[in-house]
Amino acid sequence: MSVFNNSEVKYFLLIGIPGLEHAHAWLSFPIFLMYLTAIMGNCIITFVIKTEPSLHEPMHYFLTMLAVSYVGLSFSSLPTMFRIFFFNAMVISPNACFAQEFFIHGFTVMESSVFLIMSFDRFLAIHKPLRYSSILTGSRVAKMGLILAFRSTILVLPFPFTLRRLKYCQKNLLSHSYCLHQDVMKLACFDNRINFIYGFFVTLCTMLDFALILLFYMLILKTVLSIAFLAERLKALNTCVSHICAVLIFYMPIITLAAIHRFAKNKSPFL
């Protein structure tokens, strides 16, 4: 890494797994298989829901949106992961890095939004089962999908532009195998206050989704506890188990990464 103190860097360097650089060739195949499985699995889910009329229901439409966001997120991070683990190519240009972090954060926000609307869907199905189909019509679900995509795009659209206005010197080593906004902005050698504030705002929006999901599940639990029969309670809760697990798997890494990048000042740069 040749970077001069007073010169702006011309590229960024990504890393694989610190300490296991010698094993990248061995790790490349299981990582590629993991990506291939995720992409094919979500494409199959989307195809089955589209072609099977009995699955043309709101919950399955939301599942399709979630699958699309998963595929988009996989394709966003796959190029740099593939180059690093197969060819040990760590260099990425600033513009390519900014574009990648836009798509990664955009699809991440979209996932968060879909999880929120899925929790609202479960609340309606349990709290107002007789009015469920009349409230969540096909046209309303389509409008919700467009709103979610628009929200995700608008929230992260400033990221590449605010990063591009910064100057990067002395340091160009990133902490992951792909570009993230909070990771890139820490390399800037000039004031990055605007980036920090706006990045924190986007994180708060994602955490607001999580808070609303918790609220919907508190309302769901209140409704379930009002059901007289235990068997009916368990049946109602059973419809939410897979969604709850997916929400926890999604939000825990986000909360951990946000805490590390924003508050762990003295941690290793490889975290």
Side-chain angles (χ1 to χ4, degrees):
M1 179 177 62
S2 58
V3 182
F4 299 96
N5 288 340
N6 296 320
S7 64
E8 185 178 355
V9 299
K10 304 300 181 183
Y11 55 84
F12 294 120
L13 292 176
L14 300 166
I15 64 170
I17 301 178
L20 293 177
E21 292 83 356
H22 62 282
H24 280 180
W26 294 99
L27 294 172
S28 60
F29 292 100
I31 289 176
F32 179 73
L33 183 62
M34 178 184 66
Y35 271 99
L36 184 64
T37 302
I39 292 171
M40 289 186 62
N42 286 287
C43 287
I44 291 172
I45 289 173
T46 304
F47 176 78
V48 171
I49 293 175
K50 181 181 179 180
T51 56
E52 179 54 51
S54 64
L55 299 179
H56 292 177
E57 299 175 352
M59 188 60 179
H60 294 103
Y61 289 141
F62 296 136
L63 186 60
T64 300
M65 297 178 195
L66 192 62
V68 170
S69 64
Y70 279 144
V71 172
L73 189 58
S74 297
F75 276 118
S76 299
S77 57
L78 179 60
T80 51
M81 295 281 288
F82 186 86
R83 290 173 63 241
I84 290 172
F85 285 93
F86 275 88
F87 305 106
N88 200 32
M90 301 167 59
V91 175
I92 184 171
S93 68
N95 287 336
C97 186
F98 301 155
Q100 184 184 49
E101 61 87 22
F102 167 76
F103 285 108
I104 287 178
H105 288 292
F107 283 113
T108 300
V109 173
M110 185 174 177
E111 281 187 57
S112 176
S113 303
V114 173
F115 279 127
L116 173 59
I117 204 65
M118 289 175 78
S119 65
F120 175 66
D121 170 86
R122 290 298 84 203
F123 168 70
L124 283 180
I126 293 174
H127 187 66
K128 297 184 177 180
L130 299 180
R131 297 183 56 193
Y132 173 76
S133 58
S134 62
I135 295 175
L136 284 182
T137 60
S139 61
R140 286 178 179 172
V141 171
K143 290 177 182 178
M144 287 179 182
L146 292 175
I147 291 173
L148 295 182
F150 180 76
R151 173 185 184 254
S152 304
T153 303
I154 291 300
L155 268 180
V156 303
L157 187 59
F159 277 174
F161 297 103
T162 56
L163 288 176
R164 193 171 183 179
R165 59 176 279 277
L166 297 175
K167 297 292 184 180
Y168 303 91
C169 48
Q170 299 182 7
K171 297 185 295 182
N172 66 347
L173 180 62
L174 297 172
S175 306
H176 303 284
S177 301
Y178 42 81
C179 294
L180 296 176
H181 175 262
Q182 61 267 34
D183 197 20
V184 176
M185 73 175 185
K186 290 168 66 176
L187 299 182
C189 50
F190 288 91
D191 186 18
N192 63 357
R193 190 177 308 167
I194 294 176
N195 299 74
F196 181 87
I197 293 173
Y198 189 74
F200 187 66
F201 168 73
V202 174
T203 301
L204 286 180
C205 290
T206 306
M207 291 302 101
L208 177 61
D209 290 349
F210 184 57
L212 291 175
I213 291 172
L214 291 178
L215 175 62
F216 280 126
Y217 271 102
M218 289 175 63
L219 296 174
I220 288 173
L221 185 60
K222 180 180 178 181
T223 303
V224 169
L225 292 177
S226 66
I227 299 175
F229 300 102
L230 178 60
E232 293 297 322
R233 293 182 187 178
L234 295 177
K235 182 179 179 180
L237 288 175
N238 189 52
T239 63
C240 304
V241 171
S242 59
H243 181 250
I244 293 173
C245 293
V247 167
L248 291 176
I249 292 172
F250 174 75
Y251 280 102
M252 289 305 103
I254 288 181
I255 294 173
T256 302
L257 276 178
I260 288 175
H261 281 289
R262 283 176 168 78
F263 303 113
K265 302 295 185 182
N266 298 322
K267 295 292 183 182
S268 166
F270 294 111
L271 286 176

